[in-house]
Amino acid sequence: MSPVTRPSFAIGGVKIRPGQTREMGLPITKLVTGAEVSLPLRVLHGRQDGPVVWVNAAIHGDEVVGVEVIRRVLASLSPRTFRGTLIAVPIVNVHGFMAGDRYLPDRRDLNRSFPGSARGSLAGRIANLMMREVVDKSEVGIDLHTGSDRRTNLPQIRADLDDPRTRGLAEAFGAPVMLHAKLRDGSLRAAARERGATVLLFESGEAMRFDQWAIEAGVSGVMRVLAALDMVDANGGPTPPPSLVSRRGGWLRAGRSGIVHLDATLGQRVEVGDRLGGLSDSFGKTLRLVRADRAGLVIGRTTAPLVNRGDALVHIAEIEGAEPPGVPDHPDAAEAFDALDEIPVL
């Protein structure tokens, strides 16, 4: 008797045989010129059994880091040795990506439009297509993002850390920090969770920039998740330190309008009252100092020099296991804090 092989994988009206990779486009709509607009994806259907996982990027059209992460991940995989099936969707918001815009042409935020509707707005139709053809066929998903509105983010996982499987995959990803994040109505993560999928949201870097440190963190993390799911063999590289865990945090906002000079760097540990920068007028007169309003870790910061009163400046995450000032940290927290010094981010 011949050995039993995996069945073909059906998506977008086609079937992909085991051990094959297929690139395709799922029709979305037409431009006013009549040109077709499609959702691009590549399916890697391994010869051996395993889970179905999707990885996507550019739900916001200006978030290019994830597109490069997916390109590098796919370049390292072969369907002949892969176990399971990977659906890669490098650009979800095709219209926004072509225009270099975060939003769709009607200014809708695609990540507030899930699960969408086949008869709804353009955002709703794209969301519905993504849910029907990708999410509903998968059990695990990785949603890749960057900072928005001239902000940059430390590599971080946002997920439901109270769910054991989600937390296990978040730990496997190995980002410097993982945040327990509430589900937002209309987001891909919320809609996919309703359908029973386990979802990690990765944030790293800045919009419209190929930050190499952000890309490398994403590639390594995605590959570690695939290894944790036994879809690929572990690469045998060094194990990252345990991710720091945060359940609370917030943005420190400008108390006045002016020109901001930030000294705070991503991954920096701060205590209450630490000076993080200052606000000045156009002649250099200091208007107000920027000081930390809580102890924790800098996981995001603005890159805009001109700010108005109330604008977000520095995102500080409070860290579980970190002791009050003057008391040695929890051993795991100390190890992870020390490792942050090795990440070349600004």
Side-chain angles (χ1 to χ4, degrees), residues 167-229:
R167 180 159 186 151
L169 293 179
E171 291 173 345
F173 194 104
V177 62
M178 53 187 189
L179 285 66
H180 179 66
K182 294 181 180 179
L183 295 171
R184 290 192 174 185
D185 291 341
S187 69
L188 171 61
R189 187 165 71 96
R193 179 68 183 271
E194 285 292 321
R195 303 284 179 91
T198 300
V199 186
L200 303 179
L201 188 152
F202 176 64
E203 285 271 1
S204 189
E206 185 178 359
M208 297 305 293
R209 287 176 60 94
F210 266 179
D211 294 310
Q212 292 303 314
W213 51 267
I215 293 168
E216 291 166 5
V219 172
S220 297
V222 171
M223 293 303 296
R224 282 193 289 263
V225 170
L226 296 180
L229 293 168

Side-chain angles (χ1 to χ4, degrees), residues 6 12 85 106 113 196 198 206 211 244 254 334:
R6 297 185 73 198
T85 303
D106 61 0
S113 303
T198 300
E206 185 178 359
D211 294 310
L244 300 173

Side-chain angles (χ1 to χ4, degrees), residues 41-323:
L41 56 85
R42 180 187 290 182
V43 179
L44 190 150
H45 190 46
R47 286 181 174 176
Q48 302 179 54
D49 285 334
V52 179
V53 173
W54 93 82
V55 57
N56 71 267
I59 278 185
H60 297 123
D62 59 353
E63 297 182 349
V64 299
V65 163
V67 181
E68 178 65 7
V69 169
I70 291 176
R71 185 192 72 80
R72 295 189 189 185
V73 167
L74 290 174
S76 68
L77 300 177
S78 168
R80 297 180 180 179
T81 57
F82 197 71
R83 297 181 285 274
T85 303
L86 180 68
I87 308 174
V89 190
I91 305 169
V92 183
N93 182 352
V94 179
H95 292 78
F97 190 82
M98 290 189 296
D101 195 329
R102 180 176 177 83
Y103 303 111
L104 286 159
D106 61 0
R107 305 307 298 166
R108 290 179 186 264
D109 185 337
L110 181 54
N111 210 30
R112 298 294 178 269
S113 303
F114 287 88
S117 168
R119 296 176 178 270
S121 65
L122 176 60
R125 291 170 188 247
I126 297 172
N128 176 264
L129 179 64
M130 180 74 181
M131 293 296 296
R132 187 176 70 251
E133 292 288 355
V134 177
V135 175
D136 287 348
K137 301 177 188 296
S138 309
E139 59 185 85
V140 173
I142 305 175
D143 184 16
L144 306 175
H145 289 263
T146 68
S148 64
D149 191 25
R150 293 172 296 175
R151 299 173 189 168
T152 184
N153 285 330
L154 182 76
Q156 59 196 257
I157 285 290
R158 300 180 183 183
D160 177 7
L161 300 183
D162 290 334
D163 175 68
R165 191 184 193 208
T166 304
R167 180 159 186 151
L169 293 179
E171 291 173 345
F173 194 104
V177 62
M178 53 187 189
L179 285 66
H180 179 66
K182 294 181 180 179
L183 295 171
R184 290 192 174 185
D185 291 341
S187 69
L188 171 61
R189 187 165 71 96
R193 179 68 183 271
E194 285 292 321
R195 303 284 179 91
T198 300
V199 186
L200 303 179
L201 188 152
F202 176 64
E203 285 271 1
S204 189
E206 185 178 359
M208 297 305 293
R209 287 176 60 94
F210 266 179
D211 294 310
Q212 292 303 314
W213 51 267
I215 293 168
E216 291 166 5
V219 172
S220 297
V222 171
M223 293 303 296
R224 282 193 289 263
V225 170
L226 296 180
L229 293 168
D230 196 33
M231 302 175 78
V232 298
D233 295 330
N235 62 12
T239 302
S243 299
L244 300 173
V245 178
S246 175
R247 290 178 178 269
R248 293 182 57 189
W251 280 93
L252 180 63
R253 297 185 177 273
R256 293 189 62 170
S257 300
I259 301 173
V260 66
H261 300 270
L262 283 181
D263 301 319
T265 58
L266 295 180
Q268 177 182 346
R269 187 181 180 187
V270 299
E271 304 293 352
V272 176
D274 282 357
R275 177 173 174 168
L276 305 180
L279 288 163
S280 67
D281 64 16
S282 58
F283 295 103
K285 178 183 177 181
T286 300
L287 303 175
R288 178 166 295 186
L289 296 179
V290 179
R291 296 190 181 277
D293 62 350
R294 69 188 73 207
L297 186 75
V298 175
I299 62 169
R301 50 159 287 172
T302 185
T303 60
L306 309 182
V307 298
N308 293 303
R309 184 177 183 182
D311 284 355
L313 300 180
V314 182
H315 193 183
I316 302 174
E318 299 176 29
I319 302 300
E320 280 189 354
E323 299 293 341

